[in-house]
Amino acid sequence: GAAALLAAYTRALSAAPLATKGASAAVVAVAADGIAQSLTRKGGEAWDWARTRWIVVWGVIFSGWANALWFDLLSRLFPEARHSGIALAQKVLVNQLVMAPALSAAFFAFTVLTRTPPPAQSSEAFDRFDLEKRGRIGYHELNVRALGFALSVWWAAKWSALRRKLAAELLPTLVRGNAYWTVVQTVNFRFVPPQCMVLFGNLASCVWTTYLCIVANRAAGDSSRNS
């Protein structure tokens, strides 16, 4: 039952704390993305397994390891948060002012960089450069310069997409996130044992990550209709 699972998690946490927190965060992230895909997938649309693989990377590195290190830092900065209302309020405030906007912006950036299709102009730029320069410079130099040109086009398009996404989604996401996470982290920092804070936060984040997955992966045209 639940008690046996918690005992197994506690044993794994003692043996390999960082690996256990990363693995549990990845499981929660995959579950959240699975719910998000189930809610938004149109009839006949294939399951996006590449998106699932990328959310595992996000879960391990950001939801797991980064949160673990951040919670350790907060525990050292506010050791009295479990007993003092003022220290608890300060701890929650610092978390919401620093980590919450950083993680939300990072999630949008991660999604744009890994999931937004690369612009057609980058491959077209490579082909055009290749045709124009072939025969005038060595083939190896040609491919290096063409690759650099194509990557610059790719990066410019990604950066433009990220700016549009942040402008459209970041502020409403932060407002909703503050309403949700202020309650969650108040409970977490006050009542949950330090070694279980990441697990509790990740379980609570299943709801929030489902929302983030929907927002981060929807097309720009859907943003204005759903804001």
Side-chain angles (χ1 to χ4, degrees):
L5 286 175
L6 183 58
Y9 176 81
T10 304
R11 288 194 299 272
L13 202 58
S14 300
L18 209 56
T20 302
K21 290 172 182 178
S24 60
V27 169
V28 172
V30 168
D33 184 65
I35 295 170
Q37 288 203 50
S38 299
L39 292 174
T40 58
R41 207 160 39 123
K42 298 177 175 64
E45 207 171 49
W47 191 268
D48 193 341
W49 289 108
R51 176 172 150 180
T52 301
R53 290 192 294 271
W54 278 117
I55 204 69
V56 170
V57 175
W58 171 268
V60 171
I61 296 175
F62 294 95
S63 296
W65 295 344
N67 264 333
L69 296 173
W70 174 247
F71 286 161
D72 286 345
L73 175 62
L74 285 180
S75 294
R76 291 196 297 271
L77 292 175
F78 304 99
E80 299 300 319
R82 297 176 67 81
H83 311 290
S84 165
I86 294 176
L88 175 63
Q90 291 172 335
K91 188 175 183 179
V92 172
L93 181 63
V94 169
N95 184 74
Q96 293 309 115
L97 289 177
V98 178
M99 197 58 160
L103 274 183
S104 294
F107 190 84
F108 289 140
F110 183 82
T111 303
V112 168
L113 290 175
T114 61
R115 301 299 304 129
T116 302
Q121 299 99 309
S122 59
S123 58
E124 291 170 2
F126 185 97
D127 293 339
R128 186 168 60 253
F129 189 93
D130 190 51
L131 290 172
E132 290 175 355
K133 298 297 182 181
R134 187 182 298 277
R136 288 159 51 187
I137 58 177
Y139 190 75
H140 175 72
E141 184 183 356
L142 164 71
N143 281 327
V144 169
R145 290 164 79 177
L147 177 60
F149 184 59
L151 284 175
S152 68
V153 174
W154 176 86
W155 175 251
K158 289 285 187 178
W159 177 244
S160 177
L162 177 58
R163 290 177 63 185
R164 290 195 303 271
K165 174 61 73 173
L166 292 178
E169 306 284 9
L170 184 58
L171 183 57
T173 298
L174 292 179
V175 171
R176 292 163 188 154
N178 279 328
Y180 179 72
W181 284 108
T182 297
V183 176
V184 170
Q185 298 296 30
T186 298
V187 173
N188 196 12
F189 296 152
R190 188 63 178 262
F191 301 109
V192 178
Q195 68 271 21
C196 293
M197 281 183 178
V198 172
L199 177 63
F200 180 85
N202 283 329
L203 291 175
S205 79
C206 189
V207 175
W208 181 247
T209 305
T210 299
Y211 166 78
L212 274 186
C213 287
I214 293 172
V215 171
N217 286 281
R218 70 188 177 194
D222 296 332
S223 303
S224 58
R225 290 195 295 270
N226 291 284
S227 58

